[in-house]
Amino acid sequence: MKLLDGISLAKKIRDDLKKRVALLKGRKPGIAFLLIGEHPASHTYVTMKKKRCEEVGIFSKVLPLPVSISEKELIQTIERLNQEETIDGILVQQPLPSHLSTAHVVESIDPNKDVDGFHPLNMGKLLLGEEGGFVPCTPLGILKLLEEAKIELQGKHVVIVGRSNIVGKPLAALLVQKKAHRNATVTLAHSYTKDLASLCRSGDILVAAMGKPLLIKKEMVKPHAVVIDVGINKMETQKGLQIVGDVDFAQVSEVASYITPVPGGVGPMTIAMLLSNTLASYQKIS
Ligand code: NDP
């Protein structure tokens, strides 16, 4: 079994971005984070993203907004950022409070500044296989991990468990593209899927993105399969409260050919791809 090490690949990508940003004349790329309410995980994620921006020389600002903000006020804030010349990327940290429509908010972001890749225009380009849009960061990070390890996708059966708009669906669209080094056959599973275990066992590559701690067990994995664990779950263990994935790493690492650890697999790649999308946005806008 080999580890797909997201920490070292993400560092390599950040080091490269840092060199490219240092060469830019004039203003640096900029990103705005909109942080609504007091969601503790969202605060942690935004703090980490801001820190990584600073490390590579990307300007960032966090706009903390009250949980009571109306949709109209939030959209007006986004529209102002759409016009701001120093801002190349706008990220609204999800999940949003329930009185706000994620769709309305995402659609108000200028697609050219939508570095999360969640705007319908960018999602549409991804689905159509068109170049020039932003690809969501987690799927893009997974693709980079697979590419780095030279894992062939063509003709392989990829089973993705989880059909969210931020992970499962865009990842399926990315891997099924008719393009060199893609051309995978993709099955998207969800909570209504029957006999999940045997479906998972048919995957040459298995991606777990459910948010269900340690649900994927050894007997659900094809011998020598590549296993990508997207899940981030807090779980009480013998060692206290720990972050665990959706895959039972101790068991599954006995049968997998490659596996991502949690933490240290997909997570760091997601942030590295956000930085990469922000630089790409700067280069498109400037
Ligand atoms: P969502 O809750 O939006 O989606 C979960 C998906 O999993 C849904 O499609 C759901 O099915 C499916 N699902 C849930 N339980 C089961 C089950 N028992 N069997 C089969 N399918 C199931 O989650 P996200 O996509 O936002 O996130 C998934 C996980 O990935 C979370 O742990 C999250 O923290 C993590 N994450 C990690 C990132 C990273 O950078 N590493 C980035 C983004 C997320 P249905 O649609 O039927 O409800």
XYZ file of all heavy atoms in Angstrom, residues 158-203:
340
model
N -14.704 4.198 -11.539
C -14.578 5.026 -10.337
C -15.937 5.058 -9.638
O -16.931 5.470 -10.234
C -14.144 6.471 -10.679
C -13.972 7.290 -9.408
C -12.865 6.481 -11.491
N -15.980 4.603 -8.421
C -17.213 4.678 -7.630
C -17.050 5.836 -6.645
O -16.113 5.847 -5.846
C -17.485 3.359 -6.874
C -18.712 3.511 -5.961
C -17.691 2.211 -7.862
N -17.949 6.814 -6.762
C -17.921 7.967 -5.850
C -19.139 7.849 -4.935
O -20.272 7.793 -5.435
C -17.991 9.299 -6.629
C -16.860 9.398 -7.662
C -17.952 10.489 -5.669
C -17.002 10.575 -8.631
N -18.910 7.782 -3.645
C -20.046 7.708 -2.713
C -20.271 9.100 -2.135
O -19.433 9.616 -1.395
C -19.809 6.676 -1.596
C -21.118 6.440 -0.845
C -19.276 5.365 -2.140
N -21.380 9.711 -2.521
C -21.676 11.103 -2.141
C -21.892 11.908 -3.407
O -21.034 11.910 -4.295
N -23.045 12.581 -3.501
C -23.398 13.309 -4.739
C -23.597 14.795 -4.472
O -24.467 15.433 -5.067
C -24.671 12.721 -5.331
C -25.827 12.746 -4.336
C -27.132 12.342 -4.956
N -28.100 11.997 -3.900
C -29.302 11.530 -4.128
N -29.723 11.329 -5.347
N -30.114 11.238 -3.133
N -22.819 15.356 -3.549
C -23.015 16.784 -3.256
C -22.546 17.636 -4.434
O -21.777 17.187 -5.293
C -22.244 17.191 -1.995
O -20.863 17.230 -2.260
N -23.017 18.890 -4.433
C -22.632 19.810 -5.513
C -21.182 20.251 -5.397
O -20.614 20.760 -6.362
C -23.529 21.057 -5.474
C -24.938 20.739 -5.921
O -25.175 19.724 -6.582
N -25.876 21.578 -5.547
N -20.590 20.077 -4.211
C -19.210 20.554 -4.054
C -18.163 19.461 -4.226
O -17.018 19.735 -4.508
C -19.003 21.326 -2.726
C -19.195 20.428 -1.507
C -19.931 22.511 -2.619
C -18.785 21.132 -0.204
N -18.564 18.204 -4.053
C -17.585 17.119 -4.198
C -18.030 16.097 -5.263
O -17.468 16.028 -6.358
C -17.308 16.393 -2.856
C -16.192 15.354 -3.054
C -16.928 17.354 -1.740
N -19.025 15.283 -4.934
C -19.358 14.133 -5.775
C -19.709 14.475 -7.216
O -19.105 13.941 -8.153
N -20.673 15.385 -7.386
C -21.117 15.695 -8.766
C -19.996 16.297 -9.622
O -19.748 15.818 -10.729
C -22.324 16.623 -8.734
C -23.641 15.900 -8.497
C -24.785 16.897 -8.719
C -25.930 16.625 -7.784
N -26.837 17.779 -7.694
N -19.294 17.359 -9.136
C -18.228 17.888 -10.000
C -17.086 16.897 -10.213
O -16.477 16.892 -11.291
C -17.750 19.149 -9.276
C -18.311 19.077 -7.890
C -19.521 18.212 -7.949
N -16.807 16.049 -9.239
C -15.738 15.053 -9.435
C -16.136 14.067 -10.537
O -15.323 13.714 -11.396
C -15.435 14.311 -8.130
C -14.335 13.261 -8.218
C -12.985 13.896 -8.587
C -14.191 12.480 -6.905
N -17.400 13.655 -10.527
C -17.886 12.741 -11.565
C -17.729 13.399 -12.938
O -17.230 12.783 -13.894
C -19.346 12.373 -11.301
N -18.124 14.676 -13.022
C -18.035 15.394 -14.307
C -16.583 15.501 -14.780
O -16.297 15.389 -15.979
C -18.642 16.790 -14.156
N -15.682 15.679 -13.850
C -14.259 15.848 -14.186
C -13.649 14.535 -14.702
O -12.939 14.512 -15.709
C -13.532 16.309 -12.918
C -12.122 16.833 -13.011
C -12.074 18.085 -13.876
C -11.599 17.180 -11.612
N -13.945 13.447 -14.004
C -13.282 12.177 -14.334
C -13.864 11.506 -15.567
O -13.187 10.719 -16.222
C -13.348 11.220 -13.130
C -12.721 11.726 -11.824
C -12.725 10.635 -10.771
C -11.305 12.252 -12.030
N -15.118 11.827 -15.889
C -15.761 11.176 -17.042
C -15.440 11.910 -18.353
O -15.736 11.416 -19.441
C -17.297 11.089 -16.794
C -17.999 12.387 -17.145
C -17.919 9.906 -17.534
N -14.786 13.070 -18.244
C -14.525 13.870 -19.457
C -13.793 13.067 -20.532
O -12.892 12.285 -20.219
C -13.690 15.108 -19.099
C -14.557 16.255 -18.617
C -13.761 17.447 -18.155
O -12.557 17.370 -17.946
N -14.435 18.561 -17.964
N -14.214 13.318 -21.779
C -13.559 12.655 -22.908
C -12.278 13.404 -23.214
O -12.257 14.405 -23.937
C -14.500 12.668 -24.127
C -13.993 11.830 -25.281
C -15.068 11.605 -26.313
C -14.546 10.704 -27.403
N -15.594 10.377 -28.382
N -11.203 12.943 -22.616
C -9.959 13.701 -22.636
C -8.845 12.742 -22.236
O -9.090 11.826 -21.435
C -10.088 14.803 -21.566
C -9.196 15.964 -21.716
C -9.605 17.049 -20.743
C -8.591 18.160 -20.814
N -8.863 19.233 -19.901
N -7.655 12.955 -22.723
C -6.532 12.085 -22.345
C -6.382 12.055 -20.832
O -6.539 13.071 -20.161
C -5.245 12.614 -22.976
N -6.069 10.908 -20.307
C -5.869 10.686 -18.869
C -7.125 10.900 -18.020
O -7.043 11.072 -16.816
C -4.706 11.518 -18.320
C -3.463 11.359 -19.116
N -2.837 10.142 -19.284
C -2.755 12.241 -19.854
C -1.797 10.290 -20.057
N -1.716 11.555 -20.426
N -8.301 10.949 -18.664
C -9.574 10.931 -17.904
C -10.309 9.671 -18.374
O -9.856 8.585 -18.117
C -10.415 12.187 -18.147
C -9.648 13.466 -17.953
C -9.688 13.999 -16.526
N -8.819 15.179 -16.453
C -9.226 16.421 -16.647
N -10.494 16.674 -16.857
N -8.364 17.429 -16.606
N -11.429 9.892 -19.088
C -12.150 8.753 -19.707
C -12.467 7.630 -18.722
O -12.444 6.452 -19.083
C -11.352 8.187 -20.882
C -11.235 9.174 -22.028
O -12.189 9.886 -22.325
N -10.081 9.238 -22.658
N -12.763 8.007 -17.479
C -13.159 6.974 -16.511
C -14.649 6.654 -16.680
O -15.408 7.431 -17.263
C -12.899 7.474 -15.096
N -15.039 5.501 -16.194
C -16.458 5.147 -16.100
C -16.846 5.413 -14.653
O -16.239 4.853 -13.735
C -16.651 3.652 -16.423
O -16.109 3.421 -17.724
C -18.112 3.260 -16.381
N -17.819 6.309 -14.490
C -18.083 6.786 -13.125
C -19.466 6.359 -12.641
O -20.448 6.481 -13.372
C -17.974 8.332 -13.070
C -18.258 8.839 -11.659
C -16.602 8.800 -13.516
N -19.523 5.869 -11.429
C -20.812 5.615 -10.773
C -20.892 6.507 -9.546
O -19.950 6.574 -8.753
C -20.924 4.142 -10.316
O -20.705 3.295 -11.441
C -22.307 3.855 -9.738
N -22.017 7.207 -9.447
C -22.224 8.132 -8.333
C -23.237 7.498 -7.379
O -24.376 7.250 -7.757
C -22.773 9.438 -8.922
C -22.522 10.771 -8.271
C -21.099 10.942 -7.808
C -22.904 11.883 -9.232
N -22.810 7.210 -6.172
C -23.711 6.570 -5.202
C -24.144 7.572 -4.141
O -23.507 8.613 -3.952
C -22.987 5.402 -4.540
N -25.233 7.256 -3.462
C -25.793 8.156 -2.447
C -26.580 7.345 -1.443
O -26.528 6.107 -1.458
C -26.649 9.222 -3.137
C -27.553 8.671 -4.180
N -28.711 7.998 -3.853
C -27.411 8.610 -5.523
C -29.277 7.594 -4.970
N -28.507 7.936 -6.005
N -27.340 8.034 -0.621
C -27.974 7.325 0.498
C -29.111 6.402 0.052
O -29.577 5.583 0.844
C -28.475 8.320 1.547
O -29.498 9.110 1.015
N -29.549 6.529 -1.208
C -30.601 5.632 -1.697
C -30.026 4.460 -2.505
O -30.758 3.625 -3.017
C -31.612 6.400 -2.566
C -32.430 7.383 -1.774
C -31.928 8.658 -1.475
C -33.688 7.060 -1.301
C -32.661 9.564 -0.735
C -34.448 7.964 -0.556
C -33.918 9.208 -0.282
O -34.657 10.110 0.454
N -28.721 4.435 -2.672
C -28.085 3.374 -3.459
C -28.287 2.025 -2.772
O -28.096 1.911 -1.560
C -26.572 3.676 -3.604
O -26.444 4.908 -4.308
C -25.839 2.572 -4.341
N -28.675 1.019 -3.590
C -28.874 -0.321 -3.017
C -27.557 -1.085 -3.028
O -26.765 -0.939 -3.947
C -29.925 -1.061 -3.845
C -31.305 -0.481 -3.611
C -32.394 -1.352 -4.201
C -33.739 -0.698 -3.946
N -34.620 -0.748 -5.100
N -27.371 -1.889 -2.041
C -26.188 -2.739 -1.885
C -24.891 -1.963 -2.143
O -24.121 -2.265 -3.059
C -26.288 -3.956 -2.818
C -25.292 -5.042 -2.394
O -24.564 -4.827 -1.405
O -25.222 -6.086 -3.069
N -24.702 -0.958 -1.306
C -23.528 -0.084 -1.443
C -22.227 -0.894 -1.385
O -21.291 -0.623 -2.129
C -23.556 0.973 -0.328
C -22.463 2.027 -0.379
C -22.640 2.945 -1.593
C -22.445 2.879 0.892
N -22.208 -1.912 -0.542
C -20.963 -2.669 -0.351
C -20.513 -3.305 -1.661
O -19.341 -3.176 -2.050
C -21.157 -3.742 0.719
N -21.437 -3.971 -2.379
C -20.963 -4.635 -3.603
C -20.662 -3.617 -4.699
O -19.764 -3.836 -5.524
C -21.909 -5.749 -4.068
O -23.161 -5.248 -4.274
N -21.385 -2.494 -4.700
C -21.053 -1.451 -5.681
C -19.631 -0.926 -5.416
O -18.816 -0.824 -6.345
C -22.064 -0.306 -5.613
C -21.754 0.850 -6.561
C -21.946 0.431 -8.016
C -22.607 2.065 -6.250
N -19.355 -0.626 -4.163
C -18.019 -0.117 -3.820
C -16.941 -1.134 -4.221
O -15.884 -0.761 -4.740
C -17.913 0.147 -2.318
S -18.851 1.581 -1.789
N -17.242 -2.395 -4.016
C -16.263 -3.451 -4.328
C -15.984 -3.560 -5.830
O -14.994 -4.163 -6.242
C -16.762 -4.795 -3.783
C -15.754 -5.483 -2.914
C -16.165 -6.812 -2.323
N -17.462 -7.322 -2.662
C -18.496 -7.380 -1.806
N -18.376 -6.916 -0.574
N -19.636 -7.890 -2.193
N -16.859 -2.970 -6.645
C -16.629 -3.027 -8.098
C -15.745 -1.854 -8.559
O -15.417 -1.745 -9.739
C -17.961 -3.014 -8.844
O -18.551 -1.732 -8.724
N -15.372 -0.984 -7.651
C -14.603 0.207 -8.045
C -13.108 -0.042 -8.101
O -12.522 -0.513 -7.129
